[in-house]
Amino acid sequence: MHHIEHVMGTAVGIEIADLLPRGTLIELVEQTCAWLHEVDRRFSTYRDDSEITRLDTGELTEEECSPDTRAVLDACAALRRRTGGYFDARATGRLDPSGYVKGWSVEVASRRLARAGALNHCIDAGGDVRSRGRPEPGRAWRIGIRHPWEPDRLAWVVTGTDLAVATSGTYERGHHVIDPHSGEPARELCSVTVTGPDLAVADAYATAALAMGRDGLLWLARLASSGYESAAVTHDGHAYRSGGLPVAADTEPPEPADPGDDPAEPAAARP
């Protein structure tokens, strides 16, 4: 079963590979889409009636928000501490937990599918991907990571049977990630990808590293000890990845945008 749903400002691809009755597959897809639309209604910063907007304007207190909203805000606060303040839901001056919410919503959707018996599936929400099981017996999921400046190419392809992949980059929305410490747009990295067991956390880590700039390369390398691997491309075209990134053997790193000397290589990372 393949389905594309337009929600949260992007196209979300849902693929279920289990051999379930067609009626069951349709119901699972409909439930997944309903959840994603619920998240959009509650967390969209573009809707005047969303909980996040009403909380930001003072129309609601945090205690009046739904349990999901309170849980997301608690998670964002914990990630802010964990990233030294670089993941900040108020980095733009307004409450905007989007750097966590999209990954979280897909992670929740994936867990619900698995509990319902769809153990082999992949959900792709504009580059934030959660895969489980296999697309067919004996084959792992292959997840392409978009090339930061050539839209018809991939930078890497990662593979896995239970994998979350989150990418934060500048290729669609420009320099939209703000360094909370300087208040300026982050410009030194043009793409950061984080893989690991939880898409919500991977999404936040990718956003935080992009905000850090080149300092984020060393920070990313240290995440491997907690099960999160990474890849990054700098604004001048140098590519890095951690040693444990589950990259396909036939993937080559992005070609430099401009010639130049290689920067110092971060610990536990390689071009």
Side-chain angles (χ1 to χ4, degrees):
M1 170 70 73
H2 301 265
H3 178 78
I4 300 294
E5 186 76 7
H6 294 275
V7 61
M8 298 189 293
T10 191
V12 179
I14 304 167
E15 180 176 354
I16 302 177
D18 297 271
L19 298 177
L20 299 171
R22 181 168 177 78
T24 300
L25 292 172
I26 291 173
E27 183 179 359
L28 290 174
V29 168
E30 288 177 345
Q31 290 172 354
T32 300
C33 293
W35 161 249
L36 296 175
H37 282 285
E38 178 187 337
V39 170
D40 193 35
R41 287 192 298 272
R42 186 171 293 161
F43 291 97
S44 174
T45 59
Y46 298 100
R47 297 175 61 117
D48 292 338
D49 61 346
S50 73
E51 281 190 27
I52 284 298
T53 297
R54 295 170 66 203
L55 179 61
D56 192 41
T57 59
E59 187 178 338
L60 284 179
T61 64
E62 188 170 332
E63 291 72 22
E64 294 172 319
C65 290
S66 65
D68 278 345
T69 296
R70 295 197 302 270
V72 163
L73 294 175
D74 288 346
C76 287
L79 284 160
R80 185 178 185 275
R81 294 189 294 270
R82 203 181 306 170
T83 62
Y86 280 98
F87 179 82
D88 189 342
R90 292 189 179 273
T92 63
R94 292 189 57 193
L95 178 60
D96 182 2
S98 302
Y100 177 84
V101 164
K102 188 169 68 166
W104 166 76
S105 65
V106 173
E107 181 69 32
V108 170
S110 175
R111 291 176 183 175
R112 291 181 176 183
L113 284 175
R115 286 198 300 268
L119 302 177
N120 301 278
H121 65 261
C122 183
I123 306 175
D124 182 349
D128 287 347
V129 183
R130 187 63 169 96
S131 64
R132 293 181 192 267
R134 298 178 182 274
E136 59 185 39
R139 186 165 70 88
W141 294 100
R142 289 173 61 90
I143 299 167
I145 300 171
R146 180 174 171 177
H147 195 289
W149 48 78
E150 295 185 30
D152 59 341
R153 290 186 58 197
L154 297 175
W156 289 280
V157 175
V158 295
T159 64
T161 56
D162 187 2
L163 188 64
V165 182
T167 298
S168 183
T170 60
Y171 34 74
E172 285 188 349
R173 298 170 58 192
H175 299 287
H176 67 285
V177 173
I178 303 299
D179 175 352
H181 297 289
S182 68
E184 298 295 324
R187 299 180 180 276
E188 293 182 341
L189 302 180
C190 63
S191 177
V192 174
T193 295
V194 176
T195 70
D198 188 296
L199 185 57
V201 175
D203 198 4
Y205 281 170
T207 300
L210 197 71
M212 292 178 192
R214 285 185 179 270
D215 290 343
L217 298 175
L218 284 170
W219 183 80
L220 286 169
R222 291 194 289 268
L223 293 179
S225 62
S226 59
Y228 289 88
E229 303 291 343
S230 58
V233 181
T234 64
H235 73 97
D236 53 356
H238 298 289
Y240 295 84
R241 63 180 174 93
S242 59
L245 187 76
V247 66
D250 55 353
T251 300
E252 295 182 1
E255 297 176 359
D258 296 298
D261 295 331
D262 289 337
E265 180 176 286
R270 63 189 185 202

